[in-house]
Amino acid sequence: MTILRLFRDGSRLEFGKGHLDRWSVYLAHPQRIKALVSETESLVRLEQLAHTHPPQVLYADFIVVYNRATHEPQGYIFDLIHAMARMYGERNFEVEVAQAMLYAGMVGLERRHRSRPGVKRHRRLSVHQVLVEGYSAEAAVAFSKNQVYAQVVAACAVRGF
């Protein structure tokens, strides 16, 4: 396990072995069983946060992280996420964890052996659908899952990215 981030509640975000590779993201709590973080779970967290915070602000903060995500996890990006989350008041910890999960997921996608460059677009499309277009997390994941890469690229182009 590669620990990516240790949170103030003692939980940690880490890479571990999944079905395909060792770049699956896990959230481990001190008193609970370590859980695999799915794209759906990450998006559900954002969807819930959008009920109490402007979705456009959540999306803009996600884009700041998205633009910096590469195949290598960078500690400064987790620090950036922590700093941006402070602006969310009482729910800052929830925002930090949600954005960190999305970031780690994008790094994991980029690290996968057979991934094409830019495969993190899947994640941006899903986040856009949830926060800007009002899709449910499940619908956004299903949309990307059933499409080939070229269709995802085309869907992103239609949305201007």
Side-chain angles (χ1 to χ4, degrees):
M1 294 287 166
T2 303
I3 296 176
L4 299 169
R5 184 67 169 186
L6 182 61
F7 296 107
R8 67 177 177 252
D9 71 343
S11 60
R12 64 188 185 278
L13 201 58
E14 54 190 42
F15 280 139
K17 186 158 175 41
H19 294 292
L20 303 173
D21 53 37
R22 59 189 178 106
W23 306 113
S24 293
V25 179
Y26 288 87
L27 184 60
H29 294 278
Q31 304 299 326
R32 293 184 233 153
I33 296 174
K34 184 177 1 183
L36 181 65
V37 175
S38 68
E39 181 179 8
T40 303
E41 180 184 348
S42 300
L43 292 172
V44 163
R45 287 175 182 246
L46 272 186
E47 188 177 19
Q48 291 169 345
L49 288 165
H51 294 298
T52 56
H53 298 286
Q56 304 87 339
V57 174
L58 287 163
Y59 184 70
D61 285 348
F62 167 77
I63 294 303
V64 169
V65 174
Y66 173 87
N67 287 334
R68 288 165 174 77
T70 65
H71 68 284
E72 289 293 329
Q74 301 291 328
Y76 84 90
I77 295 177
F78 288 108
D79 294 339
L80 175 64
I81 291 168
H82 176 76
M84 288 189 307
R86 287 184 187 162
M87 296 182 295
Y88 290 88
E90 294 176 1
R91 306 220 34 211
N92 65 14
F93 182 71
E94 295 168 57
V95 171
E96 179 180 1
V97 172
Q99 292 278 14
M101 288 167 59
L102 287 166
Y103 169 63
M106 286 186 290
V107 172
L109 285 172
E110 292 288 330
R111 299 254 348 164
R112 291 209 163 89
H113 179 4
R114 296 181 188 163
S115 288
R116 300 173 204 178
V119 75
K120 67 183 182 178
R121 283 178 163 190
H122 286 269
R123 197 60 45 93
R124 181 172 181 178
L125 177 60
S126 296
V127 170
H128 186 277
Q129 288 173 325
V130 169
L131 294 177
V132 177
E133 299 175 41
Y135 279 50
S136 70
E138 294 81 10
V141 170
F143 180 89
S144 292
K145 188 177 281 191
N146 297 325
Q147 305 228 357
V148 295
Y149 184 72
Q151 291 171 317
V152 171
V153 170
C156 291
V158 166
R159 289 163 174 86
F161 53 87

